[in-house]
Amino acid sequence: MRLEEAMTRIHKQEWARVVASLARRFGDLDIAEDAAAEAFVTAVQRWPRDGVPAHPGGWLTTTANRKAIDRIRRESLRETKHQAARMLHDDTPAEPTGPIEDDRLRLIFTCCHPALAMEARVALTLRLLGGLTVAEIARAFLVQETTMAQRITRAKRKIKAAHIPYRVPSSEDIRERLAGVLTVVYLIFNEGYLAGEGVEPLRTDLIDEAIVLGRLLLDLLPEDGEVAGLLALMLLTDARRPARVSRTGELVTLEEQDRSAWDQSLLDEGHALVRGRLAAVAGGDEQPGRYQLLAAINAVHTYHLSARDTDWSQILTLYDRLVLVDPSPIVRLNRAVAVAEVDGPDVALAEIDRLAGPLDGYHALHAARADLLRRLGRGGDALGAYDRAIELTGNPAERTYLTRRRDQLAT
């Protein structure tokens, strides 16, 4: 493995751990993020000359701690800051970790503090722990990059001004913060499964990290339906990874994928989780939440070996229930795709056109609209929709697919 590849892999694996360690030790997210970044810059400078250390994670953590201490000493001579700096050499026993043992998951729960608005909790945690850039987070929330940068900055300032502690979440905290944590994990997975920018269509590091966090959450809360639903959703989606991008680097739609290439072990595990949730819901008063319904939709999509056998009526019924739980424009857009299969492309197009305002900057709306216009024989309008989708798409595999579909119409 080349040095550049090794360093990239180490960065992906260790970033969250280093930030988590520094935030817990110094109680300041800005210091944690800046010191971690400085440590990785130092590694880029030294490792090509000295070689990758035997324990790169420990080297990065130690270097980042020193960078943080240097910054604290430069910024202030106040005794409280000196005490924080001396924590590196504190011989007192470490605080108990509480019910969450994994360092990354524990800090995700810590960052999802109820004093922050839900969107701010999620955005801040994605930035610090998920390894996502501000641009990637902004795309997930369908806002401008500058707007998202301001929100993250305000969240950090509020944590500092309100003296929100970086303490280990208690069992009571977990339930209160779970919704934000699930959103963080799901958005990390989504960015990995269809990367918003860059040369790679998929970011397997983010996919794998999200699934690891999902498994840890299920170990922590084995009876929680939404936790099981989220893990099932990610497993059923990731099972299709081997067939999702062609050898020529083009996105392959669900309808066209070679289903024999799907990962059967992930499908079996995901379907088992969905069946378990269906049994639990049928036997009690619990109503399925967003992730359970999304998992059930994906279970229907992956049940048959042929796309022709897909039960679109069942999928539409599940989307009707999902809209009651989550009436967001994106959910309604996805529901419209099912409507096209049940009621026809003209009915679906009317529904999608009603979403054009809130989702005008979302490439998937224009891609779906282009496909419906093509099916209705409106080639000229479809070309314009394809052009708009291509303009908004940052993923290379998706752009290649959309370009081919547009060029087929043009000829």
Side-chain angles (χ1 to χ4, degrees):
M1 181 182 295
R2 295 184 304 169
L3 177 63
E4 295 84 356
E5 295 174 348
M7 293 179 69
T8 299
R9 186 186 65 182
I10 291 167
H11 181 281
K12 293 175 179 177
Q13 292 173 339
E14 299 298 336
W15 171 261
R17 292 184 177 89
V18 173
V19 173
S21 174
L22 295 178
R24 189 173 66 254
R25 180 179 298 279
F26 297 105
D28 190 304
L29 289 176
D30 285 323
I31 288 177
E33 188 177 13
D34 291 347
E38 289 183 29
F40 280 100
V41 169
T42 302
V44 170
Q45 295 170 343
R46 294 185 182 179
W47 290 1
R49 181 186 69 234
D50 302 335
V52 178
H55 303 287
W59 187 97
L60 289 165
T61 300
T62 299
T63 301
N65 269 289
R66 290 171 180 163
K67 298 290 185 182
I69 291 169
D70 290 343
R71 173 173 169 172
I72 290 171
R73 286 172 173 163
R74 287 196 306 267
E75 288 183 350
S76 176
L77 297 177
R78 291 183 298 173
E79 179 60 24
T80 54
K81 292 296 182 76
H82 277 302
Q83 288 176 358
R86 287 195 292 271
M87 288 174 68
L88 180 62
H89 309 289
D90 191 356
D91 295 327
T92 58
E95 294 183 4
T97 59
I100 305 174
E101 296 182 0
D102 181 80
D103 200 41
R104 295 157 300 172
L105 187 59
R106 188 164 60 248
L107 193 55
I108 289 176
F109 270 97
T110 302
C111 286
C112 287
H113 195 283
L116 300 174
M118 178 62 75
E119 188 172 286
R121 299 182 216 175
V122 174
L124 180 61
T125 311
L126 286 171
R127 178 71 187 99
L128 294 175
L129 278 303
L132 273 63
T133 65
V134 174
E136 291 166 344
I137 299 168
R139 277 197 303 274
F141 285 96
L142 302 179
V143 299
Q144 295 295 318
E145 182 176 350
T146 53
T147 301
M148 183 53 65
Q150 291 169 355
R151 291 178 184 176
I152 292 174
T153 299
R154 285 197 297 267
K156 290 181 181 180
R157 288 174 180 169
K158 183 168 184 177
I159 286 177
K160 183 178 291 187
H163 303 291
I164 295 174
Y166 293 91
R167 62 177 176 82
V168 176
S170 65
S171 298
E172 292 74 20
D173 293 330
I174 290 175
R175 188 62 56 184
E176 185 179 23
R177 304 181 189 187
L178 181 60
V181 172
L182 293 177
T183 302
V184 166
V185 174
Y186 185 42
L187 289 177
I188 291 172
F189 179 85
N190 275 347
E191 180 59 31
Y193 200 67
L194 188 64
E197 61 181 15
V199 296
E200 297 296 330
L202 309 177
R203 289 186 58 182
T204 57
D205 59 310
L206 294 181
I207 296 172
D208 295 341
E209 176 75 1
I211 290 177
V212 166
L213 292 171
R215 294 189 186 281
L216 290 169
L217 282 168
L218 190 60
D219 289 340
L220 180 68
L221 300 166
E223 303 301 321
D224 190 282
E226 282 294 83
V227 171
L230 175 58
L231 180 58
L233 170 61
M234 294 190 295
L235 293 173
L236 292 172
T237 306
D238 191 38
R240 308 197 297 265
R241 189 200 308 183
R244 195 151 190 263
V245 178
S246 71
R247 293 182 179 179
T248 60
E250 179 178 324
L251 183 73
V252 182
T253 63
L254 181 59
E255 181 182 3
E256 298 172 330
Q257 287 176 15
D258 176 7
R259 299 191 171 206
S260 66
W262 288 355
D263 189 318
Q264 192 60 47
S265 64
L266 293 181
L267 289 176
D268 291 344
E269 186 179 0
H271 283 152
L273 285 169
V274 171
R275 287 194 299 270
R277 292 314 310 154
L278 289 174
V281 170
D285 297 328
E286 177 186 354
Q287 294 297 315
R290 177 191 183 205
Y291 298 110
Q292 293 172 77
L293 290 168
L294 285 170
I297 290 169
N298 275 266
V300 177
H301 273 303
T302 55
Y303 185 75
H304 294 287
L305 292 178
S306 172
R308 293 190 301 272
D309 297 326
T310 301
D311 188 343
W312 283 102
S313 294
Q314 186 177 3
I315 289 175
L316 182 56
T317 298
L318 289 167
Y319 268 118
D320 287 340
R321 296 190 66 177
L322 181 58
V323 168
L324 298 176
V325 176
D326 178 12
S328 67
I330 290 180
V331 169
R332 289 157 57 199
L333 171 63
N334 291 331
R335 178 187 175 277
V337 174
V339 168
E341 301 301 324
V342 177
D343 298 324
D346 52 340
V347 179
L349 181 62
E351 295 200 10
I352 286 180
D353 284 344
R354 286 194 288 270
L355 300 172
L359 294 181
D360 182 62
Y362 185 44
H363 74 277
L365 176 133
H366 298 282
R369 191 169 182 274
D371 181 66
L372 294 175
L373 289 166
R374 177 187 59 79
R375 291 166 63 177
L376 289 168
R378 296 168 55 183
D381 293 332
L383 283 173
Y386 275 121
D387 286 339
R388 179 64 171 152
I390 293 166
E391 176 189 351
L392 294 170
T393 300
N395 186 280
E398 194 166 19
R399 187 184 305 111
T400 300
Y401 165 75
L402 292 170
T403 300
R404 178 176 64 82
R405 298 289 281 179
R406 181 198 62 188
D407 292 347
Q408 287 175 341
L409 274 178
T411 57

